[in-house]
Amino acid sequence: MSEQKKSTDEIPIRMLAGRESGADKMARNTAKFDTDAPRLRKPPWIRVRLPSGNAVQTLKARLRERELVTVCEEATCPNIHECFSKGTATFMVLGELCTRRCSFCDVAHGRPLAPDPNEPGQLARTVRDMRLSYIVITSVDRDDLRDGGAAHFAECIDRVRELNPGIRVEILVPDFRGKSKIDRAMEILKSSPPDVFNHNIETVKALYPNVRPGADYQWSLDLLARFKAELPGIPTKSGIMLGLGETRNQVEEALRDLRAHEVDMITIGQYLQPTEHHHPVMRYWTPEEFRGLAQYGYQLGFSHMASGPLVRSSYHADRSAKQSGLV
C-alpha cells in the first residue's frame, strides 16, 4: 500500500514557507557582483575573541523556550558572544523569513507566515525575566503585509511596556515602502511611539542596485525625515556598512544626506561576507578611518557616532542613546 500524502499540517513550517538561504537565496537576486572575487583575509582588528562561559547557550535556550528569534543569530552578528554574555539581545519579530533578497544579508528569504499573535506577550515576558532596561526590536521586511508590520511593532512596544515599567524601547524598522503602507505605518506608530526610531540606509546611494535591490535610497531618507516630522521629540537613527566598494567621498555624502533629513544618531561598521554566495568584501576599512568618519559626523552635528569595524546598528544601543542625551 502506498504511503498517503502528508497533510499541510504535517509539513514543517520552513518547508511551507519556502525558505531560501545562501546559494538558493542569491540565485534569483538581481544584484550583479563578482561571485568569483577572492575572499580577503580578515585583518587583526576584525578578529573576535570569544568569552568564556556558556552564557550564549543559556540565553539561546531561553529564547527557544519562548519561540523568539534574535537578529544576532539570524544575521550572524560578530558581537553575538559579547552581547549574549552580558544578557542582552536584539529581538527579531514577524518571523525569520524576509521578502527581500539583499546581497549583504544572511537572513533567509521566503514567503512568511502570518504574524504570531502570541509573540508580543512572549517578548514582554522574556524581557521581564531577563530584567532588561533597554531593548531593540527589529524585523525582516514584510512586503506582504498592508502596513509592513507596523501594527505588530506597536503591539510589541505596548506589551513590553505593560510588563516592564520604565524600559526604553528602540525599534529598527524596514522601509515600509509604498504610499499607502507608509501612511498606515506612521499612523500606527504615532499611537505607540518608540523611544528611538531606527532605520538603516545600509550603504551609499550608488551601490543600492547591487546591495539593496528592492529598496530605494531616497525613500529610506524620506522615511526617517517623515517620522521626525510626525514625532519631533523622538530621536532617529540610521546605519551604514563599509567594505562594499564605496569611497570616502560617497560615505561623507551619505552622512550629509542623513543629517539633512534630521537624523540624530549614526552607526558605521565593517561589512562581513556571511557566505561565499553573498556580496564579497571589497575592502577592510581601518580603525583609523572609522575614527575619522566619526569625527566628520560630529562636525556635521550628529548627537552620537558609533563608528568602528565591529559596530552594528544595535551594538551598545543603550549606551549610544544615553551618551547622546536623547533618552
Side-chain angles (χ1 to χ4, degrees):
M1 183 175 177
S2 61
E3 182 181 355
Q4 291 184 343
K5 184 178 180 180
K6 290 184 178 181
S7 70
T8 56
D9 291 338
E10 298 176 288
I11 300 175
I13 290 177
R14 293 180 187 274
M15 188 179 298
L16 278 172
R19 181 185 179 96
E20 296 177 359
S21 59
D24 293 333
K25 172 184 173 180
M26 300 307 299
R28 297 174 60 187
N29 195 309
T30 58
K32 294 178 173 60
F33 51 84
D34 185 6
T35 56
D36 296 322
R39 300 192 72 167
L40 302 179
R41 183 178 178 84
K42 291 182 180 178
W45 58 83
I46 291 295
R47 312 290 168 81
V48 179
R49 180 172 298 177
L50 300 183
S52 59
N54 61 352
V56 173
Q57 289 75 16
T58 300
L59 185 50
K60 282 186 176 182
R62 183 180 299 175
L63 293 168
R64 295 298 84 76
E65 289 173 2
R66 292 279 168 82
E67 297 182 343
L68 294 174
V69 177
T70 66
V71 74
C72 321
E73 299 169 87
E74 288 296 303
T76 56
C77 178
N79 303 309
I80 185 171
H81 291 274
E82 177 186 354
C83 296
F84 274 25
S85 67
K86 294 179 179 178
T88 65
T90 297
F91 298 96
M92 188 166 75
V93 300
L94 288 168
E96 53 186 301
L97 292 177
C98 186
T99 54
R100 306 272 178 94
R101 287 189 174 91
C102 296
S103 63
F104 65 88
C105 182
D106 200 25
V107 175
H109 169 82
R111 185 170 59 188
L113 301 176
D116 180 0
N118 297 318
E119 187 171 55
Q122 293 278 49
L123 174 59
R125 288 187 288 275
T126 298
V127 171
R128 179 193 60 194
D129 294 346
M130 294 174 65
R131 300 180 180 180
L132 303 178
S133 59
Y134 191 105
I135 66 167
V136 181
I137 304 173
T138 189
S139 80
V140 292
D141 276 291
R142 290 299 302 258
D143 296 313
D144 58 309
L145 301 177
R146 294 182 65 192
D147 65 355
H152 197 78
F153 269 99
E155 183 72 11
C156 287
I157 293 171
D158 291 343
R159 298 292 81 77
V160 165
R161 285 176 172 158
E162 285 176 4
L163 286 186
N164 303 272
I167 193 167
R168 299 291 191 177
V169 181
E170 176 178 325
I171 58 173
L172 173 56
V173 301
D175 60 14
F176 302 126
R177 193 172 180 191
K179 180 62 169 64
S180 60
K181 190 172 294 184
I182 194 173
D183 288 343
R184 292 189 184 97
M186 288 298 110
E187 286 303 311
I188 291 168
L189 293 176
K190 281 167 63 178
S191 65
S192 299
D195 293 291
V196 175
F197 181 84
N198 188 350
H199 172 67
N200 289 336
I201 64 168
E202 305 291 7
T203 189
V204 300
K205 182 177 181 179
L207 297 184
Y208 256 59
N210 287 335
V211 176
R212 292 192 72 195
D216 182 84
Y217 180 79
Q218 189 60 50
W219 180 277
S220 286
L221 291 173
D222 291 343
L223 168 64
L224 289 158
R226 176 163 178 180
F227 185 89
K228 177 65 77 174
E230 299 274 4
L231 294 162
I234 296 177
T236 51
K237 180 178 176 181
S238 191
I240 305 172
M241 300 173 294
L242 303 184
L244 290 157
E246 68 291 319
T247 66
R248 169 72 186 240
N249 287 340
Q250 288 173 329
V251 177
E252 290 183 353
E253 179 184 25
L255 292 175
R256 291 193 298 271
D257 288 342
L258 287 165
R259 193 69 198 104
H261 287 75
E262 298 190 73
V263 173
D264 300 296
M265 297 182 282
I266 298 294
T267 57
I268 307 177
Q270 172 69 50
Y271 166 66
L272 300 176
Q273 185 179 9
T275 76
E276 62 181 350
H277 307 288
H278 287 76
H279 197 298
V281 175
M282 307 304 293
R283 181 164 84 87
Y284 286 104
W285 289 57
T286 67
E288 291 76 15
E289 289 175 306
F290 279 101
R291 286 193 288 270
L293 287 171
Q295 183 178 13
Y296 181 77
Y298 281 123
Q299 291 172 354
L300 291 176
F302 290 108
S303 63
H304 190 268
M305 294 288 303
S307 181
L310 296 180
V311 166
R312 294 297 181 266
S313 57
S314 55
Y315 183 55
H316 291 168
D318 57 339
R319 185 185 304 175
S320 298
K322 290 176 183 176
Q323 289 179 351
S324 70
L326 293 169
V327 298

